[in-house]
């Protein structure tokens, strides 16, 4: 596994894979928070006179918008939001990298049944029973496949 095993600090692959549905949920939450923070940034919009860049230079109006940093309070608030945005974006990127590396390990497995079991169990978050039903296998058979898949991935 090389680089992947060094990046993950959890003791075993099953525990790491069990985190995938939670990682995806946290990524969604961070993405929503990032959008809320972006929407909370104080914006200013103004209409200004402008002309075309090329001849004939016809006059018109252009709407300009951006972050409003005129007031001290707005500037402080914008800096706070920018800091939070940066932190959330960094955390989301870290989680995406971790989730992607776990999924890449699953995709490397040569046995399709092993990939299916791990995807259903850890990416989609299904229970053993739901996985057995989805794959049309018995629960003990899914348990054996999962154990074999985890052994192959380690």
């Amino acid at each position: 596994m090389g680089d992947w095993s060094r990046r993950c600090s959890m003791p075993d692959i099953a525990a790491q894979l069990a985190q995938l549905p939670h990682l995806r949920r946290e990524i969604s939450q961070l993405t929503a928070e990032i959008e809320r923070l972006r929407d909370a940034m104080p914006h200013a919009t103004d209409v200004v006179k402008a002309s075309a860049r090329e001849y004939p230079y016809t006059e018109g109006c252009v709407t300009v918008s951006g972050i409003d940093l005129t007031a001290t309070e707005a500037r402080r608030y914008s800096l706070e939001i920018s800091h939070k945005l940066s932190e959330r974006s960094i955390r989301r990127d870290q989680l995406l990298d971790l989730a992607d590396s776990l999924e890449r390990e699953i995709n490397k497995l040569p046995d399709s049944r092993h990939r299916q079991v791990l995807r259903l169990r850890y990416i989609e978050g299904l229970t053993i029973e739901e996985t057995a039903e989805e794959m049309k296998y018995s629960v003990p058979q899914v348990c054996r496949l999962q154990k074999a898949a985890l052994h192959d991935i380690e």
Side-chain angles (χ1 to χ4, degrees), residues 117 128 131-132 135 137-147:
V117 165
I128 289 282
T131 302
M135 293 183 74
Y137 290 156
S138 68
V139 170
Q141 192 173 11
V142 168
C143 290
R144 282 191 297 277
L145 282 171
Q146 180 177 326
K147 185 175 181 180

Side-chain angles (χ1 to χ4, degrees), residues 8-48:
C8 300
S9 60
M10 298 172 98
D12 72 331
I13 191 67
Q16 293 169 3
L17 289 171
Q19 286 296 306
L20 265 175
H22 307 291
L23 290 174
R24 293 291 181 206
R25 191 174 315 116
E26 187 177 355
I27 289 165
S28 294
Q29 291 167 348
L30 285 168
T31 300
E33 186 176 355
I34 287 167
E35 290 305 311
R36 281 193 303 275
L37 287 169
R38 284 189 180 137
D39 290 344
M41 290 288 272
H43 280 77
T45 303
D46 199 2
V47 177
V48 295

Side-chain angles (χ1 to χ4, degrees), residues 36-149:
R36 281 193 303 275
L37 287 169
R38 284 189 180 137
D39 290 344
M41 290 288 272
H43 280 77
T45 303
D46 199 2
V47 177
V48 295
K49 285 187 177 184
S51 64
R53 288 183 178 193
E54 289 127 19
Y55 183 81
Y57 303 108
T58 55
E59 187 177 290
C61 291
V62 177
T63 301
V64 180
S65 71
I67 298 173
D68 182 8
L69 296 177
T70 54
T72 305
E73 186 63 25
R75 189 175 303 120
R76 186 184 64 74
Y77 184 64
S78 293
L79 289 174
E80 275 180 36
I81 291 174
S82 293
H83 181 69
K84 286 180 183 179
L85 268 170
S86 176
E87 286 177 344
R88 299 323 185 271
S89 294
I90 289 168
R91 178 67 181 150
R92 183 186 60 183
D93 291 346
Q94 291 169 339
L95 293 175
L96 281 168
D97 287 346
L98 177 59
D100 288 345
S101 69
L102 289 169
E103 288 184 32
R104 276 193 302 278
E105 289 303 311
I106 291 171
N107 291 332
K108 286 180 188 177
L109 291 171
D111 190 318
S112 174
R113 296 169 307 151
H114 292 177
R115 288 191 305 273
Q116 288 177 58
V117 165
L118 295 184
R119 275 195 197 104
L120 291 170
R121 291 282 292 127
Y122 298 112
I123 295 174
E124 295 185 26
L126 300 182
T127 65
I128 289 282
E129 294 79 12
E130 292 168 332
T131 302
E133 185 179 321
E134 178 73 24
M135 293 183 74
K136 307 218 183 328
Y137 290 156
S138 68
V139 170
Q141 192 173 11
V142 168
C143 290
R144 282 191 297 277
L145 282 171
Q146 180 177 326
K147 185 175 181 180

